[in-house]
Amino acid sequence: MRRVWPSVVVVVAVGVLPYAVAAVPLLPDEVARWALRVTPAAGFAAQQTLVEYPQVVAHYAPSTGYFPLAWWAGLAVLAAWAAGAVVAVRSAR
């Protein structure tokens, strides 16, 4: 993008907004998990400290600090978005 402000708005809308909405319990858990799987906010999974154990009954939800992807999968989703952005910029020239 040629202008700075539209670029900032796109980055915030695609990267930060899904995480902010999923971290606050405004969305149903499945919608929040989906948002943290397919958006660049999946990269935040690298900071995850919670581990899901099958024998423990707990509320594993994004609003409680649990990310639905492993750290490497979250970074892979973030890298895919970055590669897509590079391809889009190069094809726009």
Side-chain angles (χ1 to χ4, degrees):
M1 295 187 165
R2 296 181 187 267
R3 305 276 185 224
V4 174
W5 282 108
S7 301
V8 170
V9 169
V10 167
V11 166
V12 168
V14 173
V16 178
L17 191 62
Y19 173 72
V21 172
V24 179
L26 295 174
L27 297 175
D29 289 343
E30 278 305 312
V31 175
R33 285 187 189 108
W34 176 85
L36 290 179
R37 282 187 190 122
V38 298
T39 63
F44 288 114
Q47 300 176 350
Q48 176 164 271
T49 58
L50 296 177
V51 179
E52 184 176 4
Y53 295 104
Q55 72 271 21
V56 176
V57 178
H59 186 98
Y60 293 108
S63 61
T64 61
Y66 176 75
F67 290 91
L69 295 175
W71 67 268
W72 56 269
L75 290 179
V77 171
L78 182 61
W81 274 89
V86 168
V87 168
V89 166
R90 288 186 182 248
S91 66
R93 287 185 176 183

